[in-house]
Amino acid sequence: MLGQGFVSAAAIAASVLFILSLGGLSNQEKAKRAVWYGIVGMAVAVFFTSFGPGIGGYWWLIPMMLIGAGIGAYVAGKVEMTEMPQLVAALHSFVGLAAVFVAWSADLERRRVMAARAAEASLDQFSAFAALVATKAPDELMFLQIEVVLGIFIGAVTFTGSVIAFGKLAGKVDGKPRQLPGGHMLNAGAAVLSLLLAILYLNGAGFWTLILLAALAFFIGYHLIMGIGGADMPVVVSMLNSYSGWAAAAIGFTLSNDLLIVTGALVGSSGAILSYIMCKAMNRNFINVILGGFGGSTGPAAEIEGEQVAIDAAGVASALNDADSVIIVPGYGMAVAQAQGAVSDLVRKLRAAGKTVRFGIHPVAGRLPGHMNVLLAEAKVPYDIVLEMDEINDDFPTTDVVIVIGSNDIVNPAAEEDPNSPIAGMPVLKVWEAKQVFVSKRGQGTGYSGIENPLFFKDNTRMFYGDARDSLTTLLPLVD
Amino acid sequence: MKIGAPKESARGEARVALTPESAKQLQKLGHECLVETGAGLAAGFNDDTYREAGVTVVDGADALWRDAEVVIKVREPSDQEAERLRKGQTLIAFFWPAQNEALLEKCKAQGATVIAMDMVPRISRAQKMDALSSMANIAGYRAVIEAGNNFGRFFTGQVTAAGKVPPAKVLVIGAGVAGLAAIGTATSLGAVVRAFDVRPEVSEQIESMGAEFLFLDFEDSQDGAESGGYASPSSPEFREKQLECFREQAADVDIVITTALIPGRPAPKLWLEDMVAAMKPGSVVIDLAAEKGGNCDLTKPDERVVSDNGVVVIGYTDFPSRMATQASLLYATNIRHMLTDLTPEKDGVIHHNMEDDVIRGATVTHQGEVTFPPPPPKVKAIAAAKPKKKEKEPTPEEKKAAELATFKAQTKRQVTMLAVGGALMLLLGQVAPASFMQHFIVFVLACFIGFQVIWKVSHSLHTPLMAVTNAISGIIILGAILQIGSGSAVVSVLAAISVLIASINIVGGFLVTRRMLAMFQKS
């Protein structure tokens, strides 16, 4: 058994390592080291806590850890990079559920201690967490209860929310916003009811209040995320990321464990900032995204004149052969069609021919912040030609050819030109300023937001219909 | 139907309304085509090429006017030609009904239907028959060519062994179709081109053609969309400002091309005598508005005038006719499109549909009645322009003030937040036990560190960031570890499950992050 001093020192070390780990993500090269900081930090934290004072139940602990590690390793090795969003969402749900369980357990232990106190039995019989609870004063126990309520509530919302987000991202649940009749009133009602239950619980009601509270929070998580459309998933996933952090922090308070508090706060603020960045990239209010649906439209959208002109692979190829500078704008469609490999081949060929090829990535392209970067990295596209929106947006007028692969709203000129458009004011990639734009798209349908895209009707736009991967594969031999 | 094109009777008119090419297309509509002998000669089409295209060549104007059921022409008919019109006959030509009322009455009296090509409404669908635009395009091109012919220097700047040649500076006034064509031609010859128009919304078009837009800072700019894309008369104040701008330019530019016309009015005088006097000798003014009186004080219609200081002022009115082949090809195509619309069944029968916006708009007499002016078209010519945002360059003082204001606002916000936060902490401290407050300090500091650290994360690494924070949030496992040794079986089971799923989270999250990061590589 290690002493409390060891455990505290380990907690400090782990906190520092976690901070370094997150800070190291400021660039690609440092990031490779940063992930090791995280791994070592976690190993230190788990090891020293496991063998710290007052810990038992190794017969349970070690096998469970090994099984969990095995499953985790298997899943991480098997997952496709295009499935990254759903994996992250699924993993969030675990944290949420664990938080609920831990909070329940904390209350059960409290009850046992209270019962023993009431019976004036000896408090020495308690082991593990219960022993800690036994030392607490009544006002501390009151706060412990508040923390339990918070832990359960946030954890439960995270759990069902993540499960639904996973379902939507994996295509197992319909991506369209869908709500039960009553809409947000149901959520508000459930929240009020939860508050009532929490007050009852704080005034000494039984364990059933906590179970009911969890059930209500489960419902809120489910219903809240069901009401959010697929295009807003980057915000949802980072928001759930944030929640899972706050849940961990709440549990940290319950268990009086600073390491849990620090880590939870780090994760919570990280997710909050990511959500903020995503919302800003869509020019939307966080509340607006969470309550679902596009709002704020003030009038009919401007009508679009003209027609979409299709082009075949040979036409695209000849334009590419003539071009000196090319910018590729990928979107979710590229991920769906698994076209990143074909894109990478095309880029290699064009670069070999001495052309300037770059990528323009919108902050909300894909279903996860930074999704496109990961896919392109997987396809071995060098990261120094993959640029952010702000870095590349001024270069479009001097670009010969822009290829838009499976993105729609993020290149929609209506955001700038039509004040009545639901996405008015959202920063977009100004691809239409280039000399020629090719849009690789499955068909004539609208994007996730269901908004018509005037880009497709512009004079310098040609539609390259078909599955992105098939289109690019037919295009490839024609480019020299 | 028999469609006939007579030889133009107006002096110097070289264009023709029917080309062998358009005749072939008209025959596909089921029409029969006639042409007067020698009608196309001046435009470069002799009678034999017409015959090869299946056109009947008719000797003499009388025979043609008698045989043809539809007469197509370029210029409005002369009195003599108008007398040849008969009931049921259709005439398609430039007619200028507003200026030629007597002629209009005459055609009505003869019972003929007259379609004026200059009255085709400016809507998208009618662009293919917009002969005014196609002629203006030619006029703009030709204006530059005429200017080059009269200008003693290169358009383009060159550095040669024999010395440096500065580029010619061209000012185009009025950026309608002719003006834009002139801008395009002059820039492609290498000149430095500036352009002015009273309608600020055309600045984009001017810039797209490669010219610099002379911006006039004036409140009451007009919106051309309301008048169907044409300019309307401007206020005296505006005019003064405009002339001032031109006066500044006069000494600098080598070639001025004026194209300013206001429908149904004499051309506005924009290039005054003193401006011509201010120009360098050898400079050229081409006045495309000469027919309507000219934009330049010195313009004499159809003449080349040389001013006292050696500035050439050209007031030709027949620019399209000076490029007769090109003009005829385009005009004949416009006419053919009009006839295509008039023959919807493609069976050689003209169906004069007065419900059609385009046909209704262009028809000036029909079935013995004057149908001019037409009612406004049902489709609006151009979508109303969106109000333009005017951005004024802030002065340094204003900038400073604005910066100070934002700084103050930020300070105020931060101080307020700190005050509110502090007050809340105080309140919390009143009720919360000391042990809680200790943990709370740690929590707040950790949040701050989180905020500082995460802002620095690169955008492209957001997905790895999510994966790694996700793995780290598996720290919840500590909670389960702390509880697992409990004496209560329920607690133990719950904790064990938590350990299991948190382990999946930790290992899965870290491994997947590592996989992702390993893929990022430099080129």
Side-chain angles (χ1 to χ4, degrees):
Chain A
M1 272 309 143
L2 300 163
Q4 185 59 42
F6 265 112
V7 177
S8 300
I12 294 170
S15 310
V16 171
L17 283 168
F18 288 152
I19 293 169
L20 285 177
S21 169
L22 295 184
L25 289 169
S26 58
N27 83 36
Q28 278 87 347
E29 294 306 317
K30 283 189 201 163
K32 289 170 191 169
R33 191 169 56 222
V35 68
W36 280 107
Y37 287 144
I39 293 173
V40 173
M42 187 59 81
V44 167
V46 171
F47 179 83
F48 283 89
T49 312
S50 302
F51 296 102
I55 305 292
Y58 294 107
W59 288 113
W60 286 97
L61 182 62
I62 293 170
M64 280 303 184
M65 245 189 237
L66 288 178
I67 295 171
I71 298 174
Y74 173 74
V75 172
K78 205 176 139 275
V79 68
E80 296 270 350
M81 278 304 141
T82 45
E83 294 165 355
M84 194 52 58
Q86 42 276 42
L87 175 72
V88 171
L91 290 176
H92 283 152
S93 71
F94 290 159
V95 179
L97 192 61
V100 175
F101 285 172
V102 172
W104 272 345
S105 304
D107 189 61
L108 289 172
E109 298 284 59
R110 184 187 66 90
R111 279 171 200 282
R112 287 205 305 143
V113 173
M114 299 288 274
R117 272 192 190 162
E120 295 187 4
S122 159
L123 295 176
D124 298 337
Q125 50 155 331
F126 292 115
S127 62
F129 176 59
L132 178 71
V133 175
T135 63
K136 286 192 187 274
D139 63 336
E140 288 178 326
L141 283 178
M142 176 71 177
F143 257 76
L144 180 101
Q145 280 177 293
I146 298 179
E147 291 148 15
V148 163
V149 168
L150 281 177
I152 290 178
F153 189 79
I154 304 175
V157 170
T158 313
F159 173 62
T160 41
S162 300
V163 169
I164 298 304
F166 164 77
K168 286 198 170 195
L169 289 165
K172 294 189 165 75
V173 176
D174 186 10
K176 293 214 166 50
R178 190 155 301 181
Q179 285 193 326
L180 298 174
H184 294 301
M185 292 313 289
L186 271 179
N187 290 340
V192 169
L193 220 56
S194 308
L195 191 66
L196 285 176
L197 279 171
I199 293 168
L200 272 180
Y201 164 71
L202 290 177
N203 287 312
F207 189 69
W208 60 270
T209 47
L210 288 185
I211 295 180
L212 214 57
L213 182 72
L216 280 170
F218 281 146
F219 170 76
I220 293 177
Y222 159 82
H223 195 234
L224 200 62
I225 307 302
M226 276 306 272
I228 301 178
D232 287 332
M233 280 303 147
V235 184
V236 169
V237 175
S238 48
M239 175 190 90
L240 292 169
N241 183 24
S242 173
Y243 286 0
S244 68
W246 302 130
I251 298 298
F253 279 110
T254 316
L255 305 181
S256 308
N257 185 312
D258 281 335
L259 180 56
L260 258 174
I261 296 174
V262 170
T263 318
L266 282 178
V267 175
S269 45
S270 151
I273 290 175
L274 277 184
S275 313
Y276 173 78
I277 292 174
M278 294 302 116
C279 285
K280 219 172 127 195
M282 295 195 284
N283 188 33
R284 303 210 11 227
N285 184 318
F286 183 72
I287 306 294
N288 181 310
V289 173
I290 296 312
L291 296 187
F294 288 100
S297 173
T298 47
E303 284 191 24
I304 303 173
E305 284 191 9
E307 52 183 332
Q308 305 188 5
V309 188
I311 193 168
D312 60 354
V316 180
S318 74
L320 282 176
N321 289 336
D322 291 341
D324 287 327
S325 54
V326 179
I327 296 179
I328 300 176
V329 178
Y332 186 53
M334 183 183 85
V336 173
Q338 300 260 357
Q340 63 269 34
V343 171
S344 173
D345 290 341
L346 180 68
V347 170
R348 215 164 298 141
K349 220 166 166 183
L350 291 173
R351 273 163 67 96
K355 303 178 197 303
T356 314
V357 184
R358 289 175 298 171
F359 284 84
I361 309 288
H362 193 278
V364 294
R367 291 291 175 270
L368 199 63
H371 193 190
M372 291 299 123
N373 300 83
V374 170
L375 293 183
L376 293 174
E378 185 201 13
K380 303 213 178 337
V381 173
Y383 60 75
D384 42 2
I385 63 167
V386 182
L387 302 181
E388 279 171 44
M389 175 167 72
D390 296 338
E391 294 171 327
I392 208 163
N393 231 352
D394 296 332
D395 294 353
F396 282 109
T398 53
T399 301
D400 296 322
V401 172
V402 170
I403 308 178
V404 175
I405 301 173
S407 42
N408 193 340
D409 294 336
I410 59 170
V411 292
N412 192 336
E416 297 215 322
E417 292 165 3
D418 179 7
N420 290 335
S421 170
I423 57 166
M426 164 171 156
V428 288
L429 286 155
K430 301 176 189 172
V431 294
W432 58 92
E433 288 177 352
K435 296 200 182 71
Q436 222 169 0
V437 183
F438 296 111
V439 179
S440 170
K441 203 165 170 293
R442 265 167 300 181
Q444 296 198 337
T446 52
Y448 227 120
S449 58
I451 303 165
E452 271 297 350
N453 192 336
L455 170 72
F456 304 157
F457 300 88
K458 291 215 182 246
D459 290 341
N460 58 343
T461 305
R462 292 288 175 274
M463 306 301 291
F464 187 26
Y465 289 120
D467 174 82
R469 187 161 56 164
D470 297 346
S471 301
L472 290 173
T473 318
T474 47
L475 177 64
L476 211 51
L478 302 172
V479 177
D480 48 42
Chain B
M1 287 268 183
K2 284 181 176 168
I3 295 171
K7 190 169 157 46
E8 291 299 317
S9 56
R11 191 177 57 85
E13 182 55 71
R15 289 171 291 179
V16 62
L18 184 78
T19 60
E21 208 175 301
S22 75
K24 278 183 199 155
Q25 301 289 334
L26 287 176
Q27 284 159 6
K28 279 190 194 152
L29 293 174
H31 296 299
E32 199 181 313
C33 296
L34 312 174
V35 72
E36 189 184 333
T37 24
L41 216 52
F45 309 108
N46 62 26
D47 291 350
D48 285 339
T49 50
Y50 278 111
R51 283 197 192 95
E52 273 164 35
V55 180
T56 319
V57 178
V58 184
D59 209 4
D62 282 329
L64 184 115
W65 285 85
R66 194 182 56 239
D67 289 353
E69 287 155 290
V70 177
V71 178
I72 54 177
K73 261 179 73 50
V74 180
R75 294 266 178 144
E76 67 266 28
S78 64
D79 284 348
Q80 191 196 358
E81 283 172 329
E83 272 160 27
R84 287 185 182 134
L85 281 171
R86 59 171 190 273
K87 196 168 163 32
Q89 203 171 28
T90 301
L91 172 70
I92 305 179
F94 280 125
F95 200 87
W96 309 109
Q99 285 89 340
N100 292 324
E101 271 179 57
L103 189 64
L104 191 61
E105 281 302 318
K106 195 161 194 174
C107 294
K108 183 197 83 172
Q110 300 282 22
T113 297
V114 175
I115 295 177
M117 288 305 281
D118 49 293
M119 289 300 297
V120 169
R122 282 196 137 188
I123 58 178
S124 308
R125 185 165 63 84
Q127 271 180 15
K128 55 189 181 189
M129 21 190 152
D130 188 354
L132 283 181
S133 290
S134 47
M135 293 302 110
N137 181 17
I138 293 173
Y141 172 86
R142 185 70 188 189
V144 176
I145 303 299
E146 288 292 341
N149 203 13
N150 284 284
F151 183 57
R153 287 204 341 249
F154 285 144
F155 271 92
T156 179
Q158 290 182 358
V159 179
T160 74
K164 194 177 148 207
V165 180
K169 287 178 185 151
V170 178
L171 173 64
V172 177
I173 299 174
V177 180
L180 289 174
I183 293 170
T185 314
T187 43
S188 53
L189 283 171
V192 174
V193 186
R194 295 163 195 160
F196 176 83
D197 197 285
V198 290
R199 303 160 298 163
E201 74 271 13
V202 297
S203 67
E204 213 169 89
Q205 300 170 14
I206 288 172
E207 276 153 19
S208 77
M209 299 296 291
E212 180 199 344
F213 180 60
L214 294 179
F215 184 73
L216 210 53
D217 192 18
F218 199 78
E219 280 302 307
D220 184 32
S221 307
Q222 42 175 293
D223 177 9
E226 275 169 26
S227 43
Y230 289 112
S232 41
S234 43
S235 67
E237 297 82 22
F238 183 82
R239 190 181 141 78
E240 266 320 302
K241 210 120 194 218
Q242 186 182 338
L243 293 180
E244 201 179 294
C245 166
F246 292 160
R247 224 163 256 134
E248 265 171 41
Q249 293 288 329
D252 192 36
V253 295
D254 302 306
I255 294 170
V256 178
I257 296 172
T258 66
T259 72
L261 279 174
I262 300 166
R265 281 167 180 270
K269 289 282 181 235
L270 298 173
W271 203 256
L272 309 182
E273 247 182 298
D274 63 306
M275 298 177 197
V276 178
M279 291 174 83
K280 285 169 276 190
S283 302
V284 181
V285 177
I286 306 278
D287 195 339
L288 285 181
E291 199 164 8
K292 295 278 173 287
N295 294 133
C296 177
D297 274 347
L298 271 65
T299 303
K300 286 190 185 139
D302 288 318
E303 275 184 46
R304 176 180 185 271
V305 183
V306 181
S307 78
D308 298 338
N309 62 332
V311 175
V312 180
V313 180
I314 289 178
Y316 300 153
T317 58
D318 58 347
F319 285 99
S321 174
R322 280 166 185 258
M323 301 199 60
T325 311
Q326 187 65 68
S328 302
L329 283 170
L330 295 184
Y331 184 67
T333 308
N334 291 140
I335 293 263
R336 166 171 75 78
H337 283 305
M338 175 60 85
L339 281 164
T340 311
D341 270 28
L342 283 168
T343 325
E345 306 288 334
K346 295 191 171 55
D347 54 357
V349 180
I350 298 243
H351 176 66
H352 202 103
N353 178 12
M354 289 296 266
E355 293 301 306
D356 183 301
D357 255 355
V358 179
I359 296 173
R360 173 66 194 89
T363 305
V364 291
T365 67
H366 187 54
Q367 293 175 341
E369 270 178 57
V370 172
T371 55
F372 172 85
K378 285 167 237 156
V379 184
K380 214 175 174 209
I382 303 168
K386 288 168 213 131
K388 277 230 168 153
K389 281 176 280 176
K390 253 203 187 156
E391 278 174 35
K392 267 201 176 163
E393 269 296 300
T395 59
E397 291 86 55
E398 281 175 330
K399 255 189 207 166
K400 245 186 191 165
E403 271 168 22
L404 196 69
T406 42
F407 178 77
K408 271 186 182 161
Q410 270 178 355
T411 315
K412 208 171 150 190
R413 206 171 56 229
Q414 284 192 354
V415 169
T416 326
M417 272 171 68
L418 284 173
V420 171
L424 282 177
M425 290 305 113
L426 259 176
L427 281 176
L428 191 64
Q430 296 304 307
V431 289
S435 61
F436 174 84
M437 287 314 281
Q438 271 173 16
H439 291 306
F440 200 69
I441 291 171
V442 173
F443 173 75
V444 172
L445 287 181
C447 284
F448 263 98
I449 293 174
F451 275 106
Q452 300 294 335
V453 167
I454 304 300
W455 276 121
K456 294 205 185 89
V457 171
S458 139
H459 270 258
S460 58
L461 289 174
H462 277 166
T463 296
L465 172 68
M466 302 217 56
V468 91
T469 48
N470 176 53
I472 290 179
S473 67
I475 195 76
I476 194 92
I477 196 174
L478 297 190
I481 292 173
L482 290 172
Q483 290 174 338
I484 202 165
S486 161
S488 153
V490 186
V491 171
S492 291
V493 170
L494 283 177
I497 299 174
S498 304
V499 167
L500 175 75
I501 57 184
S503 304
I504 299 178
N505 193 49
I506 293 170
V507 176
F510 277 124
L511 287 184
V512 116
T513 316
R514 231 172 58 77
R515 237 184 92 188
M516 264 189 275
L517 290 174
M519 295 181 317
F520 282 97
Q521 52 185 348
K522 236 184 178 146
S523 63

